[in-house]
Amino acid sequence: MVDTKELVENLMYTGMSEYEARVYVAFLAKNPVSAYEAAREAGVPTSKVYETVARLEQKGILTPFDDEEAKSRRYIPQSAEEYIHTSRQMMDKTLETLAREFKAMRTRSPVSFIWNISDYNALMDKVRRIILKAEKTLLISLWREEAEILGGLIGEANVKGVRTASVHFGQPELNAGQVFMHPIGETLYDEKGGRSLVVVSDSREAIIGTVKAENITEGAYSTGRGFVDLAEDYVKHDIYMMKVITRFDPHLKERFGPRYEMLRDVFSDREAL
């Protein structure tokens, strides 16, 4: 069964007023009818329905005709398919025009800001857009769950010539660009209470997030120089460590413990030996 309330709300997103949307839905449900009959069907005050119908007629959404037998003016609505087609064309044309005008518009340099992100889908959508925009470099730190979602995009960026380097926690191994596997993911997950996600594109924009149980998300995005440098240094530092650990793992475990406990203790400089 159609949720009329939701249908009206979605029509409002296309530019209709609430009354216009309700009246249009009423005409789609039952036509041809008069404005008065549509008002009763839509629950719109009769004092408002005639001006609402006039606006819909002006937009080409309603077509009037005089019913001589009923001695009243009745209306036929534009079909839902035609309305969607027309609205899509108009929106595409409007957005294309805006894109050209914004590109030609002289704007001041944007002020640095940090966007907080608390929704997992919003976080991943932003990450996808960052990866798609990358032209030169991508530095990434991610876990298996996000690697399964983003692996294809990272691979495509690499094929386009974007130099990519990723620190990957967990299995299976990410197969996109240069990948450095992190050996102590479980320890870090326990410490942070979740899996981290960091993406830095072209040293110009960065996003940092922590994804906890049931995809509860804490994230932030910015193009601010300090924020981007911090995120970039974070990923680079992990890569430096992965290169060292890969080559000297037995010696490091002997000196600092099987999970590098003493190496990771930043408040002391002790060793096992």
Side-chain angles (χ1 to χ4, degrees):
M1 186 174 179
V2 176
D3 185 339
T4 303
K5 182 180 178 182
E6 183 178 5
L7 182 56
V8 167
E9 289 176 351
N10 286 329
L11 280 168
M12 290 169 66
Y13 286 130
T14 69
M16 284 190 184
S17 70
E18 181 181 355
Y19 282 171
E20 287 173 346
R22 286 163 62 178
V23 168
Y24 178 52
V25 170
F27 273 110
L28 286 174
K30 186 178 180 182
N31 70 84
V33 293
S34 67
Y36 178 77
E37 291 171 306
R40 287 191 305 174
E41 184 77 20
V44 173
T46 53
S47 61
K48 296 290 185 181
V49 72
Y50 293 101
E51 62 184 77
T52 302
V53 166
R55 288 198 300 270
L56 291 173
E57 184 181 346
Q58 187 177 20
K59 293 177 180 180
I61 297 171
L62 292 180
T63 300
F65 74 95
D66 292 322
D67 188 338
E68 294 182 0
E69 183 177 340
K71 296 181 180 180
S72 66
R73 172 159 286 200
R74 295 174 179 267
Y75 297 85
I76 298 175
Q78 184 182 56
S79 70
E81 294 78 9
E82 183 65 22
Y83 179 77
I84 291 171
H85 176 74
T86 302
S87 297
R88 181 178 287 120
Q89 283 189 321
M90 291 178 62
M91 182 59 70
D92 288 344
K93 184 177 180 180
T94 300
L95 291 174
E96 288 173 5
T97 301
L98 280 173
R100 290 195 302 270
E101 290 175 346
F102 282 144
K103 188 174 182 179
M105 184 178 169
R106 291 186 178 182
T107 61
R108 295 188 304 171
S109 298
V111 177
S112 295
F113 62 91
I114 295 177
W115 282 105
N116 293 318
I117 303 172
S118 57
D119 178 79
Y120 181 77
N121 291 328
L123 177 77
M124 296 305 294
D125 182 61
K126 188 65 175 176
V127 168
R128 290 187 189 93
R129 282 184 281 159
I130 290 174
I131 293 173
L132 286 170
K133 285 195 300 180
E135 297 176 351
K136 297 178 180 179
T137 61
L138 277 171
L139 291 176
I140 302 170
S141 177
L142 77 175
W143 289 63
R144 174 182 57 81
E145 290 83 350
E146 285 64 53
E148 290 176 351
I149 298 172
L150 302 172
L153 281 181
I154 299 170
E156 289 173 13
N158 193 241
V159 169
K160 290 191 301 183
V162 178
R163 300 179 66 195
T164 63
S166 303
V167 177
H168 184 223
F169 298 82
Q171 298 290 340
E173 183 174 345
L174 176 67
N175 184 25
Q178 180 64 58
V179 181
F180 299 89
M181 300 299 297
H182 203 293
I184 55 171
E186 291 182 6
T187 299
L188 293 176
Y189 186 94
D190 291 339
E191 286 183 3
K192 296 182 178 182
R195 54 187 190 269
S196 61
L197 175 63
V198 182
V199 179
V200 184
S201 171
D202 295 335
S203 298
R204 293 185 305 194
E205 58 181 331
I207 192 164
I208 300 174
T210 299
V211 183
K212 302 181 180 180
E214 299 180 354
N215 285 346
I216 296 173
T217 304
E218 295 177 359
Y221 163 83
S222 182
T223 57
R225 185 73 265 150
F227 186 92
V228 173
D229 286 347
L230 180 67
E232 194 167 45
D233 288 346
Y234 173 87
V235 180
K236 284 182 176 179
H237 177 268
D238 264 1
I239 291 174
Y240 300 154
M241 289 302 301
M242 294 310 99
K243 288 183 176 182
V244 172
I245 288 171
T246 300
R247 291 161 175 79
F248 303 103
D249 184 54
H251 182 63
L252 289 170
K253 287 180 176 178
E254 182 182 349
R255 298 289 294 265
F256 297 109
R259 290 186 174 273
Y260 318 112
E261 296 91 339
M262 295 175 218
L263 176 65
R264 300 182 68 251
D265 181 2
V266 298
F267 297 103
S268 72
D269 191 21
R270 59 196 178 92
E271 299 180 22
L273 298 179

